[in-house]
Amino acid sequence: MLTQTTTRVLEPSDLDAALAVLDREPVANAFVTSRVQVAGLDPWRLGGEMWGWYEDGMLTSLCYAGANLVPICATPRAVRAFADRARRAGRRCSSIVGPSEATARLWRLLEPNWGPAREVRPHQPLMVADRLPAAIAPDPYVRRIRKDEMETIMPACVAMFTEEVGVSPLAGDGGLLYQARVAELVGSGRSFARVDRDGRVVFKAEIGAATTQACQIQGVWVAPEYRGQGYAAPGMAAVLRYALADVAPLVSLYVNDYNTAARATYRRTGFQEIGAFMSVLF
């Protein structure tokens, strides 16, 4: 029997209640919602546990605990309960990421035990678009990457990840998990790029998390030798066109606040800031 407030690991039978919480913020929660819609709440399929916080017998907050620790619609009391559980379990994640206020509170509670972090990115604007920009024509050469083009897209993906995160995705397991994720996106038709005549990627991006309500663009990258030549905005407009037509009515992304060039590009292609994420990288 549930006490007035409690936290526990959710079970498959809690799926509807968990989805109801996730649906409260479809854009911010797109990453976790997409996983839950595919895998349910079974930890083996989900790739981690889903912790639930109950108040007066009602599920009000969630926290995904897998490769990432992600607070979801988390109240201050829920964050404290999630931090207590995370401390007892020990750090198993490579990052903490989520809405900035709840993530900052969670990190303050965990830092004495889990710190120091390799890097903390306290303010990453969350941006959303629901239409194509009027002033930017989509790049007609940006297209879906085919399954037989893994050798073409993979070096660009590795370069983007290393540049963005600061470590290579090939470390540890030799890149097997990362290559599988890239292959999954390519196979599902959510990897896009402009490839030059020599077979080199000029621009690339993926539609990562995807639900019926919202999807998230990730991995945006322009090859260094092509930067400053006007490929980013038309490339983003092209990916946005695919996303709106084929995936969801709302398209989101989040970006480091210090990346002023990227933020300007996203604003030019119709994205508006609606909030902020925070990332703690280990």
Side-chain angles (χ1 to χ4, degrees):
M1 186 168 182
L2 293 173
T3 57
Q4 187 175 11
T5 60
T6 189
T7 181
R8 67 176 177 87
V9 178
L10 299 187
E11 301 175 352
S13 59
D14 299 308
L15 179 59
D16 288 345
L19 286 172
V21 175
L22 289 163
D23 284 347
R24 297 206 315 250
E25 297 179 12
V27 173
N29 298 335
F31 166 70
V32 176
T33 302
S34 66
R35 294 184 68 92
V36 171
Q37 288 180 341
V38 171
L41 295 177
D42 177 76
W44 289 102
R45 297 185 61 214
L46 186 60
E49 295 179 338
M50 185 70 77
W51 302 340
W53 167 255
Y54 289 82
E55 295 195 26
D56 298 324
M58 295 292 294
L59 181 64
T60 60
S61 301
L62 304 170
C63 186
Y64 172 71
N68 316 104
L69 190 67
V70 186
I72 300 154
C73 300
T75 64
R77 296 177 73 190
V79 167
R80 183 168 293 277
F82 295 147
D84 288 343
R85 180 176 284 273
R87 275 195 300 266
R88 292 195 303 270
R91 184 175 70 82
R92 304 171 184 174
C93 60
S94 60
S95 68
I96 306 171
V97 60
S100 56
E101 183 176 344
T103 303
R105 187 176 291 113
L106 185 59
W107 177 233
R108 283 196 297 270
L109 294 170
L110 289 174
E111 186 176 11
N113 299 91
W114 285 15
R118 179 170 58 84
E119 186 178 354
V120 177
R121 300 176 180 180
H123 186 81
Q124 298 171 296
L126 175 65
M127 309 181 77
V128 67
D130 62 1
R131 66 197 67 186
L132 290 174
I136 302 292
D139 185 342
Y141 294 102
V142 170
R143 58 173 177 80
R144 280 189 170 92
I145 291 297
R146 303 187 306 269
K147 293 180 182 179
D148 63 352
E149 293 180 302
M150 279 292 293
E151 290 186 2
T152 298
I153 198 65
M154 194 66 188
C157 292
V158 171
M160 177 282 305
F161 187 100
T162 304
E163 186 176 328
E164 171 66 18
V165 180
V167 296
S168 171
L170 306 182
D173 66 351
L176 293 177
L177 285 175
Y178 186 70
Q179 185 168 348
R181 177 55 178 159
V182 173
E184 178 187 349
L185 291 170
V186 170
S188 62
R190 303 211 305 267
S191 175
F192 303 88
R194 175 175 177 147
V195 181
D196 69 16
R197 282 180 286 187
D198 296 320
R200 296 176 300 182
V201 172
V202 175
F203 164 92
K204 79 152 196 80
E206 298 92 36
I207 300 171
T211 73
T212 57
Q213 294 175 279
C215 64
Q216 189 176 89
I217 293 177
Q218 64 179 40
V220 181
W221 183 82
V222 176
E225 63 269 30
Y226 285 104
R227 290 175 188 174
Q229 298 182 35
Y231 288 101
M236 280 299 299
V239 178
L240 178 61
R241 180 177 60 185
Y242 281 112
L244 291 171
D246 300 340
V247 185
L250 289 173
V251 182
S252 71
L253 54 83
Y254 65 98
V255 58
N256 293 317
D257 59 354
Y258 54 78
N259 195 341
T260 54
R263 292 173 68 182
T265 294
Y266 299 148
R267 285 193 295 268
R268 287 180 62 205
T269 49
F271 286 86
Q272 297 181 337
E273 295 184 16
I274 62 166
F277 272 25
M278 173 177 172
S279 295
V280 181
L281 308 178
F282 298 106

